[in-house]
Amino acid sequence: MSFDDGEELRRRDPRVEHILRNRLHPQHESLISAPAETRGPSGLVRKNPHQIGFIGPNGLKRIDRLAGNGPVLGRDVRAAKVKTEALRPLVSIAQAEQFVVAVMDMVGGRLTAHDKDVLGQAQQLAAEIPEVCAVVAVVFGAVKEDAFELAGVDRLIHLRGEDYQGYCPEQSIAALQVIDQKLSPRFWLFPDSVHGAGELGLRLAARLQERPATQAWQVSSEKTTFRGGSQRTDICVDTPRLLLLAEESAAPIEDTRHEVVPMSELTEDLAAQVLPCIKDGGQVAVDPKQISLAEAEFILAAGNGITDWEQFHSASEILRATEGASRVAVDDGLMPRNTQVGATGTWVSARVYIAVGISGAVQHLQGIASCDKVIAINTDAGCDMVKRADLSVIGDSQEILAELIQLCELRQEQEMKQGVEHVA
Amino acid sequence: MLPELKVVALVSIGQHIKSGRFQRADQDARAVELGLKLRGVDLTVLHAGSADEPVLRRYLGAGLKAITVLEQPAKADIVGPMCEYLNEQGAQIILAGTKAECGEASGMIPYLVGERLGWPVVSRVADILSVANGEAEILQALPRGQRRLLKVRLPFVASVDNAADAPRQSAFGPGQRGHIHRVQAAVVADELSASWTQVPAKKRPKRLAVVKAKSAADRFKAATAKSQGAGGVVLQAEAPREQAQAIVDLLLEEGLIQ
């Protein structure tokens, strides 16, 4: 067992301790070092400077004048955490005979948890195939992900360029069809999600005239169980070649590292020669008030601490945030019932949640459990919302909101100016 | 409303997620609603299956004059006969729900129909804004309530998302008075599904957070340690201006404001 990973363990050796206690032991002399202070032959006290103190965690010598009674030094918890993770063993496949291809969602250019589950499933299936099998990940568009090797990607096909910007199902399917012809993969895996890869799976199945299993959640190379309509039936089938996997169908890769070899020879001649019938007109600005609270990305929520409601509404407008409220604000009739966040209201899943004047009742904190980033604006530094928040701002909410509005207005003005200059 | 347009809505039998009672399929009812918006009561509504199904009366109760039913037995591949019928009718826009609520519910129907007819398929449609000069402007529903504008040339197949307008209420009287056209069609057996085994679904277990500790000390720590609230940044003494700036910086980092 090695201790080079994680924290250092302090081990006691009872035998050595026993020898150190027993002055009559034959090895006692060799184990104890000479004491730091001895009385010399002339009766003077001699100090051995090499024996005093100990080497601290930063390599400097430290002298403990409190004789062990002070606070423990040299065990900085944060420093221990920073230690680099042990390198996982590398799995490299030089010549693959079979392929399992997984198409990734890549929301915001990064692998989602669902993507990683799909890659985990792909590795499981690859292990079940008797021949040497590589997992190929197919990604479209701009990519920000830098941990493909830890997610279990043996080969990477990255389709970029103008053809694959925005919504381009026809070009993507043409590319997947070429991959199907060239690699003839043993399995095609897709995450069954709303982010695009699921749709590609259905399109590819229609194009290849094959019947896929959708919402598959128990998959081996022989049998597959998938959920039927309305989540009411489980259907067990012989595993088809195309699989759309439900969330958490398999565990993601955790123990191994894989070499992400780009399949450049494939991606070169994948330049799509399709004439697309669907033209992407880009995203449309949506009124944040129309977005339902449960799926809103950015929520500004108000609680008991708000006094100036006009200001709150103008803040949500200028930030383009969806409005939420705590139960108190709703009960007092200051906000409509459908804006209530929490156990009795809506369970929200926002990426950023700003709680203004909300102290954070348990029910409210339950409701925002799946939010990524929480910002608290509150007068009380000790409230539960501040403990939950990633960024807490202690002060009068009215002043802070006023400053926030001012800053946003400033930014907008600057943008306007820049825009005018640009045109000129 | 566009009187010269031939719009067909495909409907299926829905099922309540908890009680299992048969009802209008939600997305299909939304497709009918979208069709009514485009075409009015002359909308063609097509169902493949049994014409004696009482749920079809609920669709009629939304104010339709008639529903066309391609008579098909329970286990049959309906895509071929349906495409043939759609081709005969000269449909220009085909609307369908994204996923069925009964049976396999793979959501393949719009894609199979599109592939068979050679038409483009637009998925997750929230609204059709306009149809002019043989081109339709479509709002596509994205996750988190976002929308994307698409332009498609006619004819096309559209799968309708939950974000589309909610269907109007179904009235009993008009539902009983509406007409059900029976159309005989060829039957293609679905052999593959005969070998499937179906069982009632059980709740899937949630994934547990497994502690992968290498030493006993790590395991002990994982078992006993309190989850320390990481505790974010607290700005207490700063001026309101600086505090607001910190919030703006975080929002910029997350890309929520430009």
Side-chain angles (χ1 to χ4, degrees):
Chain A
M1 191 182 262
S2 67
F3 297 112
D4 52 355
D5 51 13
E7 281 178 70
E8 268 177 51
L9 290 177
R10 191 174 289 179
R11 293 266 166 172
R12 297 176 64 181
D13 188 343
R15 182 171 165 275
V16 171
E17 286 177 6
H18 174 79
I19 296 170
L20 287 174
R21 281 198 303 274
N22 183 4
R23 276 179 294 142
L24 300 177
H25 197 280
Q27 290 173 5
H28 181 76
E29 282 296 317
S30 60
L31 276 177
I32 58 159
S33 49
E37 277 185 12
T38 47
R39 208 161 277 277
S42 58
L44 284 173
V45 173
R46 295 280 178 195
K47 285 186 180 172
N48 181 359
H50 301 294
Q51 294 283 332
I52 299 171
F54 57 93
I55 305 297
N58 49 5
L60 293 179
K61 175 164 254 190
R62 296 283 175 208
I63 299 173
D64 183 10
R65 295 188 199 283
L66 296 171
N69 292 322
V72 181
L73 288 173
R75 297 266 295 162
D76 192 353
V77 179
R78 273 183 218 153
K81 268 186 194 163
V82 176
K83 269 190 181 173
T84 48
E85 219 176 288
L87 216 53
R88 301 180 192 172
L90 180 72
V91 178
S92 66
I93 295 168
Q95 275 292 327
E97 296 160 30
Q98 291 271 7
F99 296 97
V100 174
V101 182
V103 180
M104 302 282 92
D105 267 333
M106 301 298 283
V107 178
R110 293 199 175 84
L111 289 173
T112 61
H114 200 170
D115 284 339
K116 289 177 186 168
D117 291 353
V118 170
L119 286 170
Q121 182 74 67
Q123 288 290 355
Q124 274 183 29
L125 287 173
E128 282 180 50
I129 295 170
E131 293 99 355
V132 180
C133 183
V135 170
V136 185
V138 182
V139 297
F140 294 96
V143 167
K144 292 184 203 153
E145 179 67 47
D146 45 8
F148 280 118
E149 52 170 18
L150 299 182
V153 179
D154 294 318
R155 305 274 189 274
L156 183 71
I157 299 179
H158 183 189
L159 298 162
R160 58 196 128 190
E162 276 185 19
D163 288 332
Y164 304 107
Q165 295 291 325
Y167 185 64
C168 51
E170 289 154 320
Q171 293 94 315
S172 309
I173 282 304
L176 293 184
Q177 222 181 339
V178 173
I179 294 172
D180 188 63
Q181 284 163 5
K182 291 203 171 166
L183 297 183
S184 49
R186 181 74 186 75
F187 292 110
W188 275 98
L189 302 186
F190 300 85
D192 198 350
S193 65
V194 295
H195 293 291
E199 183 195 327
L200 285 181
L202 295 178
R203 281 180 193 269
L204 186 67
R207 179 64 56 88
L208 299 177
Q209 296 291 323
E210 289 186 41
R211 195 161 182 165
T214 56
Q215 287 290 325
W217 60 276
Q218 217 169 42
V219 180
S220 71
S221 58
E222 264 104 50
K223 286 281 175 191
T224 292
T225 308
F226 68 92
R227 266 293 126 103
S230 305
Q231 307 278 317
R232 291 181 62 84
T233 47
D234 272 338
I235 304 171
C236 188
V237 299
D238 294 334
T239 301
R241 205 165 71 93
L242 273 76
L243 289 155
L244 278 78
L245 300 172
E247 277 183 58
E248 299 192 357
S249 65
I253 295 294
E254 280 175 345
D255 298 327
T256 48
R257 202 156 50 91
H258 296 255
E259 40 172 21
V260 186
V261 182
M263 294 188 106
S264 49
E265 74 281 1
L266 263 177
T267 44
E268 268 165 19
D269 48 335
L270 276 184
Q273 289 112 18
V274 206
L275 213 65
C277 298
I278 304 171
K279 278 180 243 158
D280 188 353
Q283 279 210 21
V284 184
V286 185
D287 181 10
K289 292 202 177 76
Q290 302 296 321
I291 302 173
S292 82
L293 205 54
E295 60 172 2
E297 193 170 26
F298 178 25
I299 298 176
L300 184 71
N304 207 17
I306 292 270
T307 44
D308 188 350
W309 286 91
E310 290 288 317
Q311 189 199 35
F312 171 74
H313 294 308
S314 59
S316 76
E317 201 161 303
I318 201 160
L319 288 171
R320 298 193 59 76
T322 309
E323 286 184 5
S326 74
R327 181 169 166 180
V328 186
V330 170
D331 280 356
D332 291 350
L334 298 163
M335 290 286 280
R337 180 61 73 186
N338 61 2
T339 58
Q340 186 185 328
V341 174
T344 42
T346 314
W347 294 61
V348 298
S349 61
R351 238 166 8 100
V352 174
Y353 183 87
I354 307 186
V356 190
I358 300 175
S359 59
V362 176
Q363 291 85 347
H364 193 88
L365 292 179
Q366 281 171 357
I368 63 167
S370 55
C371 290
D372 280 349
K373 286 258 158 69
V374 176
I375 304 176
I377 302 179
N378 215 306
T379 48
D380 176 12
C383 68
D384 289 335
M385 184 57 86
V386 171
K387 283 178 197 149
R388 162 72 174 84
D390 301 275
L391 172 67
S392 310
V393 170
I394 312 298
D396 183 28
S397 66
Q398 210 171 333
E399 281 175 22
I400 294 164
L401 279 186
E403 292 288 350
L404 201 57
I405 291 170
Q406 231 175 31
L407 275 175
C408 288
E409 278 171 350
L410 261 175
R411 292 191 71 84
Q412 281 179 359
E413 271 173 32
Q414 277 173 1
E415 247 173 59
M416 290 277 281
K417 267 185 203 164
Q418 277 175 1
V420 169
E421 277 169 20
H422 198 70
V423 170
Chain B
M1 227 179 279
L2 304 142
E4 70 286 350
L5 208 61
K6 179 83 181 172
V7 184
V8 180
L10 311 180
V11 297
S12 64
I13 308 300
Q15 196 170 20
H16 190 270
I17 192 159
K18 285 284 183 288
S19 70
R21 194 193 289 191
F22 293 109
Q23 59 179 21
R24 285 194 289 179
D26 182 56
Q27 289 170 341
D28 293 349
R30 284 171 199 263
V32 170
E33 184 64 40
L34 187 56
L36 284 170
K37 186 186 140 197
L38 286 177
R39 193 61 183 83
V41 286
D42 295 328
L43 168 75
T44 310
V45 176
L46 182 64
H47 171 70
S50 163
D52 304 323
E53 196 61 62
V55 176
L56 294 178
R57 297 276 169 200
R58 305 254 187 101
Y59 284 109
L60 282 171
L64 300 167
K65 284 182 193 159
I67 281 187
T68 313
V69 178
L70 287 181
E71 298 238 52
Q72 295 280 320
K75 293 237 165 175
D77 186 358
I78 59 157
V79 175
M82 196 182 238
C83 288
E84 243 167 62
Y85 181 80
L86 288 169
N87 232 352
E88 277 171 27
Q89 296 292 309
Q92 287 170 299
I93 298 179
I94 300 173
L95 305 168
T98 302
K99 247 184 188 191
E101 293 180 7
C102 294
E104 185 186 355
S106 62
M108 283 289 285
I109 290 288
Y111 301 102
L112 287 173
V113 170
E115 197 64 41
R116 193 71 69 98
L117 298 174
W119 297 0
V121 183
V122 186
S123 63
R124 301 196 170 271
V125 170
D127 201 0
I128 296 181
L129 298 176
S130 67
V131 183
N133 303 327
E135 197 174 58
E137 276 198 330
I138 296 176
L139 268 191
Q140 188 186 36
L142 298 178
R144 296 216 174 271
Q146 301 299 309
R147 299 280 183 272
R148 180 156 49 200
L149 186 71
L150 299 175
K151 283 182 188 160
V152 191
R153 291 209 70 78
L154 296 182
F156 65 89
V157 183
S159 70
V160 178
D161 189 78
N162 291 335
D165 285 343
R168 61 192 70 183
Q169 213 172 354
S170 170
F172 182 75
Q176 298 301 308
R177 286 192 293 277
H179 190 69
I180 293 183
H181 277 301
R182 290 162 187 261
V183 177
Q184 298 298 326
V187 175
V188 183
D190 179 13
E191 283 135 14
L192 199 61
S193 69
S195 64
W196 292 357
T197 50
Q198 280 197 35
V199 287
K202 271 189 227 150
K203 203 173 175 188
R204 282 179 61 195
K206 270 197 180 162
R207 179 181 286 172
L208 298 173
V210 180
V211 180
K212 281 205 158 180
K214 285 209 175 98
S215 65
D218 287 348
R219 278 195 294 278
F220 181 73
K221 199 185 281 173
T224 55
K226 260 197 286 183
S227 64
Q228 49 199 36
V233 185
V234 180
L235 304 179
Q236 194 153 18
E238 284 81 352
R241 185 75 179 195
E242 288 168 32
Q243 294 176 330
Q245 188 61 50
I247 295 176
V248 169
D249 290 345
L250 195 143
L251 296 180
L252 273 174
E253 194 184 305
E254 291 291 319
L256 290 169
I257 52 176
Q258 274 82 43

